[in-house]
Amino acid sequence: MMNRKAILYRASAGAIAALALAGCGSLVPSPSAPAPGRASGVSQASTPPPIDRSSTRLASAPRGWRDDGPQASCLADLGETGARFDPLPDTYAGPGCHKLGTVRLSALSGDDGVFGVTNLGPVKCGMAKAFSDWARFGVDRAARQILGSPLMRIETMGSYACRNVAGTNRRSAHARAEAIDVSGFVLEDGRRIVLASDWNGGTAAEREFLRIVHRSACKRFGTVLGPEYNAAHRDHFHLEGTGPRFCR
């Protein structure tokens, strides 16, 4: 059992590598056997060797991070999932806008290989863990079973933004780096499935896939808003926090 107070923050060329997985839903497709010789969405040749956790200790953590307590525990959980990420320093941008205990995800792990994520900025560590779990169990597995191809990349509209909820004076969860907007998915066979056009206009299998990953997100995140919520979300899933459930 890994001692959570002995986490590796290993600064090598300014990057801290860890490994992370992803989320599941009401209908969780069963994992399928990988095809021989399958290439992952991120070249497996570039996959770093396994981390030797037996000698881990805090080497060079960003400002605000500690080598014990809930922050370290979250990093340990995220690292065990298989994601690649860098812990980020704590910063304040204005009233209600901050990045505290955040990471920058660069890649996520599936059952068989690694896949990428685009346009993603700082994300609260716990949110990053839920996102990586959803990506593995709720998206990659659904893509394999329903569409017959593994996931290669998740496309997002970003995460952190110092702004209010549209039409209100209340800060958005994006202002705390606790939300991610997902706009589409790219498969290894080259298909690109985007909410703007495929939620209603895609093939029957593509529409089913998008609804399955939406329902699976509702099992992982506190608030999930999609195309059927309102016009502002017609082209993306808004994934927010891990608290009380609200799914539309």
Side-chain angles (χ1 to χ4, degrees):
M1 189 75 177
M2 186 183 75
N3 184 346
R4 294 183 180 279
K5 294 187 178 181
I7 301 159
L8 176 61
Y9 296 78
R10 187 175 178 180
S12 174
I16 298 174
L19 300 167
L21 307 171
C24 133
S26 59
L27 187 157
V28 181
S30 302
S32 55
R38 180 205 155 203
S40 66
V42 176
S43 173
Q44 294 193 18
S46 64
T47 302
I51 293 172
D52 178 7
R53 298 186 183 276
S54 64
S55 60
T56 61
R57 65 171 279 110
L58 180 61
S60 179
R63 177 168 54 85
W65 284 98
R66 295 175 51 188
D67 62 351
D68 59 2
Q71 293 173 329
S73 178
C74 183
L75 285 187
D77 289 342
L78 181 58
E80 287 169 359
T81 66
R84 299 176 188 176
F85 63 92
D86 294 323
L88 299 174
D90 290 349
T91 61
Y92 292 85
C97 294
H98 54 72
K99 293 171 280 185
L100 305 178
T102 62
V103 300
R104 186 182 300 278
L105 290 169
S106 57
L108 305 168
S109 289
D111 291 328
D112 178 36
V114 181
F115 41 86
V117 57
T118 65
N119 198 39
L120 193 60
V123 179
K124 195 89 168 177
C125 181
M127 181 68 186
K129 170 65 166 58
F131 184 73
S132 58
D133 286 342
W134 173 69
R136 178 181 183 180
F137 300 111
V139 181
D140 185 40
R141 291 186 181 182
R144 292 163 182 263
Q145 178 168 318
I146 299 170
L147 300 175
S149 175
L151 180 68
M152 184 174 78
R153 184 170 67 250
I154 295 178
E155 298 181 335
T156 85
M157 294 175 165
S159 50
Y160 173 78
C162 184
R163 62 178 176 81
N164 293 342
V165 175
T168 76
N169 60 2
R170 179 168 55 89
R171 286 299 193 195
S172 166
H174 287 287
R176 304 182 301 274
E178 293 179 349
I180 298 172
D181 289 340
V182 173
S183 58
F185 309 91
V186 178
L187 308 184
E188 284 198 354
D189 64 8
R191 277 179 289 175
R192 181 170 176 261
I193 299 144
V194 296
L195 275 77
S197 59
D198 296 324
W199 179 260
N200 291 316
T203 66
E206 290 168 347
R207 295 195 305 272
E208 179 186 5
F209 166 75
L210 289 174
R211 282 156 178 79
I212 290 296
V213 300
H214 175 267
R215 289 201 296 271
S216 69
C218 293
K219 300 290 186 178
R220 294 281 174 180
F221 302 99
T223 297
V224 177
L225 306 177
E228 294 183 359
Y229 178 59
N230 61 17
H233 294 84
R234 66 174 186 80
D235 58 356
H236 69 278
F237 294 141
H238 171 86
L239 311 177
E240 175 184 330
T242 57
R245 301 289 192 262
F246 181 83
C247 178
R248 293 288 177 85

